[in-house]
């Protein structure tokens, strides 16, 4: 998709409007810059697509959404990171970090404030609200499915997410646009940019899935790179429940020998990071050479110390993560962390959708990955 063809007023669905919630300001600014530059290349001279909004709160914690300019007839794209706990508000004079619940309520407030005047509303929510509560076991809520149905009822036309924990949640809204994007090209691009000593062939490199749930994304990497795929599966104690889950007893490995090979492990999220480190230790026992992990959402809920220790001991050699959710300043300063920038990818998607173009080329990166591999060779 050529940048110069992205901004033709004749093919626009409606004038573009970009609402970047406070939780997504950093990456949202990059996305906006791409859109403005492409518009200038097309001769339109547009320099601002941002819609000014705010979500103030009363001291009691009640909030409201305000749109400070007209959105009538706009093709609105609302960008939000429901996982950004660095956003805070005052509640009875106490400073509270915003939870995913708080972010989702603010999103609904802004949609309400639009009052049905926008031509179309699209939501870009990289990490899905309630995405880890995606299926029911016994008497449990289905948070993600209900969230999607709420947005559909409020008039949202399209939702874009990245690397959904379980993309089958789209079955909750079969009549609404739902795109689940995997930033595979951006990950490989970052990997080749940061790692100079990789030899990508079956004798030197291997993909390992951390569990059966991540097998499809790892299978894709193994296929496009032409290397072998191994897999761990989690052996759990189903007689015990700890923090709402059956604890993992052991990680069992299935696959070819990893001795002497560099290993790449891909998953959707690094939460506490315990599973990734357990797998890295197991791979080192099997004489793997270097071990690199990737997670679309590297959130490190238990802190960074265990990864610092594993890096210092040579157990893990690097971790890749995207800028699709909040990363602490401490994480960005770590020598072992490498960022995958997905802002240009989102900008392409917005431009394509705003011009009613096919997004097949945006979503399917196979040709770009092959060109990248040929360049490396």
């Amino acid at each position: 998709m050529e940048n110069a063809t992205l901004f033709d007023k004749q093919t626009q669905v409606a004038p573009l409007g970009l609402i970047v919630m406070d939780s997504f300001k950093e990456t949202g600014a990059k996305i906006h810059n791409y859109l403005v530059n492409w518009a200038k290349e097309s001769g339109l001279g547009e320099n601002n697509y941002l819609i000014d909004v705010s979500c103030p709160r009363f001291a009691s914690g009640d909030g409201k959404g305000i749109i400070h300019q007209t959105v009538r007839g706009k093709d609105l794209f609302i960008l939000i990171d429901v996982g950004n706990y660095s956003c805070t508000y005052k509640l009875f004079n106490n400073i509270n970090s915003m939870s995913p619940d708080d972010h989702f309520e603010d999103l609904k407030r802004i949609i309400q404030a639009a009052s049905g005047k926008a031509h179309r509303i699209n939501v870009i929510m990289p990490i899905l609200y309630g995405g880890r509560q995606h299926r029911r076991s016994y008497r449990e809520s289905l948070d993600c499915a209900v969230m999607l149905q709420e947005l559909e009822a409020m008039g949202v036309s399209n939702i874009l997410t990245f690397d959904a924990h379980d993309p089958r949640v789209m079955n909750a809204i079969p009549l609404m646009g739902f795109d689940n994007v995997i930033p595979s090209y951006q990950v490989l691009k970052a990997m080749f940019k940061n790692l100079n000593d990789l030899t990508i062939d079956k004798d030197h490199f291997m993909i390992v899935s951390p569990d059966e749930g991540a097998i499809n994304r790892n299978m894709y990497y193994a296929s496009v790179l032409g290397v072998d795929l191994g897999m761990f599966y989690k052996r759990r104690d189903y007689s015990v429940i700890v923090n709402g889950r059956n604890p993992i007893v052991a990680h069992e490995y299935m696959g070819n020998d990893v001795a002497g090979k560099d290993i790449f492990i891909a998953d959707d999220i690094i939460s506490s990071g315990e599973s990734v480190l357990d797998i890295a230790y197991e791979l080192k026992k099997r004489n793997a050479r270097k071990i690199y992990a990737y997670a679309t959402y590297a959130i490190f809920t238990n802190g960074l110390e265990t990864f610092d220790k594993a890096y210092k001991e040579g157990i893990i050699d690097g971790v890749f993560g995207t800028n699709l959710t909040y990363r602490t300043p401490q994480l960005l300063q770590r020598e072992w962390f490498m960022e995958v920038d997905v802002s240009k990818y989102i900008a392409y998607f917005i431009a394509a959708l705003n011009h009613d173009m096919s997004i097949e080329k945006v979503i399917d990166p196979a040709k770009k990955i092959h060109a990248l591999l040929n360049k490396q060779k």
Side-chain angles (χ1 to χ4, degrees):
M1 184 164 52
E2 295 296 329
N3 296 346
T5 66
L6 292 177
F7 284 85
D8 179 358
K9 283 188 176 180
Q10 302 301 318
T11 60
Q12 269 188 308
V13 170
L16 177 62
L18 205 65
I19 293 178
V20 180
M21 304 295 283
D22 285 342
S23 58
F24 210 59
K25 288 291 186 185
E26 180 188 344
T27 305
K30 291 183 178 181
I31 294 166
H32 182 250
N33 286 339
Y34 280 117
L35 294 171
V36 169
N37 290 336
W38 294 340
K40 289 179 179 178
E41 289 174 13
S42 302
L44 295 183
E46 298 281 355
N47 58 15
N48 188 23
Y49 295 104
L50 293 173
I51 305 293
D52 186 22
V53 303
S54 61
C55 291
R57 287 178 180 266
F58 300 99
S60 61
D62 295 322
K64 61 181 176 179
I66 307 173
I67 299 178
H68 299 283
Q69 62 195 83
T70 181
V71 294
R72 187 179 295 276
K74 297 277 190 183
D75 190 19
L76 282 185
F77 287 82
I78 306 176
L79 290 80
I80 184 169
D81 173 17
V82 299
N84 190 342
Y85 62 92
S86 72
C87 299
T88 60
Y89 64 93
K90 273 194 172 183
L91 177 64
F92 288 91
N93 213 32
N94 294 312
I95 301 298
N96 270 21
S97 291
M98 289 184 69
S99 70
D101 293 345
D102 294 317
H103 285 297
F104 181 51
E105 290 304 316
D106 277 355
L107 170 63
K108 291 193 291 183
R109 289 176 177 123
I110 292 300
I111 295 173
Q112 290 177 61
S115 304
K117 301 300 190 297
H119 176 81
R120 184 174 67 176
I121 295 177
N122 312 275
V123 172
I124 297 178
M125 186 188 292
I127 185 167
L128 276 180
Y129 170 78
R132 299 179 75 183
Q133 184 54 27
H134 59 285
R135 64 173 180 258
R136 172 172 285 163
S137 299
Y138 199 47
R139 291 189 292 271
E140 292 183 344
S141 60
L142 284 170
D143 295 17
C144 194
V146 171
M147 176 273 295
L148 294 172
Q149 291 174 350
E150 277 191 84
L151 294 183
E152 182 180 36
M154 296 183 77
V156 173
S157 299
N158 298 292
I159 290 183
L160 171 67
T161 190
F162 280 79
D163 208 349
H165 192 66
D166 188 340
R168 290 174 296 181
V169 295
M170 71 175 69
N171 293 333
I173 47 164
L175 300 181
M176 187 171 74
F178 181 100
D179 289 292
N180 177 47
V181 184
I182 311 294
S184 309
Y185 170 72
Q186 287 71 22
V187 173
L188 293 175
K189 188 177 179 181
M191 186 170 71
F192 291 136
K193 177 183 177 182
N194 288 280
L195 307 177
N196 299 318
D197 60 344
L198 289 181
T199 302
I200 308 296
D201 60 36
K202 289 188 175 183
D203 295 326
H204 301 89
F205 193 79
M206 192 170 171
I207 305 294
V208 172
S209 176
D211 54 40
E212 57 274 26
I215 190 68
N216 286 336
R217 66 174 61 86
N218 285 278
M219 192 183 300
Y220 182 84
Y221 285 115
S223 297
V224 296
L225 295 176
V227 297
D228 291 330
L229 172 69
M231 187 190 85
F232 280 88
Y233 69 91
K234 296 171 182 175
R235 186 153 55 85
R236 296 181 180 272
D237 183 355
Y238 288 98
S239 65
V240 180
I241 296 178
V242 178
N243 295 327
R245 306 177 70 184
N246 302 110
I248 298 169
V249 177
H251 293 272
E252 304 288 355
Y253 177 71
M254 297 188 297
N256 294 345
D257 189 8
V258 300
K261 295 180 181 179
D262 292 331
I263 307 297
F264 183 73
I265 306 165
D267 209 348
D268 62 327
I269 187 168
I270 291 178
S271 184
S272 66
E274 291 176 2
S275 292
V276 170
L277 291 180
D278 286 346
I279 289 168
Y281 280 105
E282 288 295 325
L283 289 169
K284 279 296 182 181
K285 289 179 184 177
R286 293 169 170 79
N287 298 317
R289 183 173 174 263
K290 291 188 176 182
I291 299 172
Y292 301 97
Y294 160 74
T296 307
Y297 307 105
I299 58 177
F300 296 99
T301 56
N302 288 3
L304 306 173
E305 290 74 18
T306 54
F307 277 80
D308 290 337
K309 181 174 181 289
Y311 177 69
K312 187 176 181 181
E313 294 174 351
I315 300 300
I316 198 160
D317 295 271
V319 177
F320 292 86
T322 71
N323 59 344
L324 290 169
T325 192
Y326 174 67
R327 293 94 56 230
T328 65
Q330 293 78 15
L331 174 62
L332 296 175
Q333 292 169 3
R334 289 304 198 267
E335 184 181 0
W336 46 263
F337 182 74
M338 292 159 279
E339 186 165 275
V340 178
D341 188 358
V342 191
S343 55
K344 190 175 183 179
Y345 198 13
I346 296 177
Y348 270 132
F349 188 95
I350 291 172
L353 205 59
N354 179 239
H355 288 77
D356 214 13
M357 297 170 62
S358 170
I359 61 169
E360 181 181 357
K361 292 182 180 179
V362 182
I363 291 179
D364 185 4
K367 289 184 179 179
K368 294 179 75 174
I369 289 176
H370 287 307
L372 180 66
L373 293 176
N374 289 332
K375 183 180 178 181
Q376 288 301 120
K377 290 177 182 178

